[in-house]
Amino acid sequence: MSTHTETTVLPAATREIQLASRPHGRPVPENFRSAETALPELQDGQVLVRNLFISVDPYMRGRMNDVKSYSAPFALDIAMEGGAVGEVIASRSPDRKVGDAVVHSLGWREYAVLDAGATSPARTDLAPASAFLGALGMTGLTAYAGLLKVADFKAGDAVFVSGAAGAVGSLVGQIAKAMGASRVIGSAGSPEKVARLLELGFDAAFNYHDGPVVDQLSAAAGEAGIDVYFDNVGGEHLEAALSVLNVGGRVAMCGAIAQYNSTEPATAPRNLMLAIGKQLTLKGFLVGGYWQHMSEFVQTMSGWIADGTVSYDETIVDGLENAPQAFMDLLDGANTGKMLVRL
Ligand code: NDP
């Protein structure tokens, strides 16, 4: 086993956040528990990672429910899982050495023991480690693949993205601009977020709390309408986009955060029939199906970040014990850009 120095003392246990109970509607602090558990002994082929940042993501809300979905439910009374980036502090694998920065899926804890093959290198020569949970990681790939591969974006398209000041949405808008969109419109939940979108180069942005989405979107789109809708929200936003989309328009169905905490069936969209006359394409997708584009994406995105074409925001909360609150705040819109917990 390689370690930092001869005298490095490796941890025998880790603090972690466990799912204590399943939420009904909005999660509450009582759904989470902080606990300390022993770390397993490192086996051949494994690494011990000290997590530096953990990711809290909207999809985790679905995993808190005990229902069959694309991603297995979190089990009760053990650590939750999720994206993390950390530093290898001990290794029994020839593929990872002490000091390597790696991305993996054992978040919600301070230390993780896992197979080296379940980690991927974080290219910290390109950007700080935290970026590999956001703009250069799963989040960024979601924006890139969703826009280019799912919505089949073409230069000249007018694009609308909801959740536009969030991690995925803010990148969607900037990628669309970088690739020649005729117009990019974003919606978000506060005047500060709307102002930030205009700074990021969106042509128009509105606060969806200010009035019906369909009215605000129609005004922002004007006669030209929209060709692509990148949907992070569902519900009223999707209904509005269906109304404003041009003939032949495309919708990348990425998320439906307006419904994640709902205990009642959705009441919108009520106008799905428009998809027939307008010959729309609505395509749902999971980023996991586009992982083969990761290296092309990192290459392109790191270039855009380096030359200032794309900026990314992070909202950072300190301390593992604050991770549940950070997650609850994410669902309430407290973040601009990627919500991260720094350990
Ligand atoms: P964000 O950074 O966008 O954070 C979530 C945001 O959602 C909040 O900041 C809040 O912003 C907004 N929000 C919360 N409730 C509502 C509501 N009722 N109506 C409108 N907006 C709301 O998260 P991500 O960028 O990580 O994820 C964005 C979307 O993409 C989510 O739906 C997520 O599930 C989805 N996703 C899908 C993936 C896939 O593979 N299909 C992969 C990754 C993400 P505001 O203040 O503007 O309300």
Side-chain angles (χ1 to χ4, degrees):
M1 184 193 305
S2 58
T3 59
H4 264 314
T5 66
E6 288 301 314
T7 54
T8 302
V9 177
L10 296 175
T14 183
R15 288 217 70 77
E16 62 185 31
I17 304 295
Q18 303 178 344
L19 185 63
S21 59
R22 299 194 186 278
H24 179 71
R26 292 159 69 89
V28 293
E30 294 69 32
N31 297 135
F32 304 87
R33 176 192 307 120
S34 173
E36 182 157 311
T37 59
L39 285 165
E41 201 169 314
L42 215 54
Q43 304 296 317
D44 278 346
Q46 290 191 320
V47 289
L48 170 60
V49 179
R50 182 171 70 87
N51 285 337
L52 301 171
F53 289 89
I54 63 170
S55 182
V56 287
D57 295 275
Y59 78 87
M60 293 170 175
R61 176 63 190 84
R63 293 193 70 184
M64 296 176 83
N65 298 336
D66 191 13
V67 292
K68 198 162 180 259
S69 180
Y70 60 89
S71 179
F74 292 131
L76 290 173
D77 303 323
I78 62 168
M80 292 163 63
E81 293 177 4
V85 62
E87 181 190 5
V88 174
I89 58 169
S91 175
R92 289 185 62 178
S93 162
D95 301 327
R96 300 282 181 267
K97 60 182 192 313
V98 168
D100 283 354
V102 291
V103 180
H104 62 91
S105 61
L106 293 186
W108 294 94
R109 69 200 79 194
E110 288 174 334
Y111 297 95
V113 169
L114 71 172
D115 291 344
T119 68
S120 54
R123 293 274 314 273
T124 48
D125 54 318
L126 298 176
S130 60
F132 293 87
L133 298 179
L136 286 173
M138 181 276 274
T139 299
L141 181 63
T142 303
Y144 181 85
L147 184 68
L148 303 184
K149 318 284 180 190
V150 180
D152 202 17
F153 169 85
K154 302 275 186 296
D157 282 342
V159 175
F160 171 48
V161 54
S162 53
V168 172
S170 59
L171 298 174
V172 169
Q174 293 179 81
I175 295 169
K177 286 298 287 185
M179 301 202 66
S182 59
R183 191 164 170 76
V184 174
I185 302 164
S187 68
S190 73
E192 294 77 19
K193 289 185 180 184
V194 167
R196 181 62 184 144
L197 293 179
L198 298 175
E199 279 172 16
L200 290 175
F202 283 61
D203 298 289
F206 62 87
N207 178 349
Y208 63 86
H209 296 299
D210 283 349
V213 178
V214 68
D215 295 348
Q216 298 199 73
L217 177 59
S218 300
E223 287 292 304
I226 57 170
D227 304 298
V228 166
Y229 173 45
F230 193 107
D231 190 15
N232 286 316
V233 168
E236 186 194 353
H237 273 86
L238 178 55
E239 184 170 298
L242 290 169
S243 290
V244 176
L245 273 159
N246 295 326
V247 170
R250 287 93 66 205
V251 180
M253 299 182 68
C254 177
I257 197 164
Q259 284 153 234
Y260 293 174
N261 282 333
S262 296
T263 52
E264 301 296 329
T267 53
R270 297 163 297 182
N271 56 352
L272 192 54
M273 200 174 80
L274 286 176
I276 303 164
K278 293 189 185 186
Q279 300 148 75
L280 304 177
T281 303
L282 285 79
K283 189 168 175 190
F285 74 103
L286 293 173
V287 64
Y290 294 84
W291 224 250
Q292 70 275 22
H293 300 292
M294 188 54 118
S295 59
E296 157 203 331
F297 157 71
V298 170
Q299 190 78 22
T300 307
M301 182 58 103
S302 58
W304 281 334
I305 292 171
D307 71 14
T309 301
V310 170
S311 303
Y312 63 90
D313 294 326
E314 295 176 331
T315 300
I316 294 178
V317 172
D318 280 301
L320 182 70
E321 66 283 6
N322 295 319
Q325 192 60 52
F327 172 67
M328 292 183 278
D329 288 347
L330 166 81
L331 297 175
D332 289 340
N335 60 306
T336 299
K338 183 77 189 89
M339 183 68 114
L340 293 168
V341 180
R342 180 166 46 202
L343 305 188

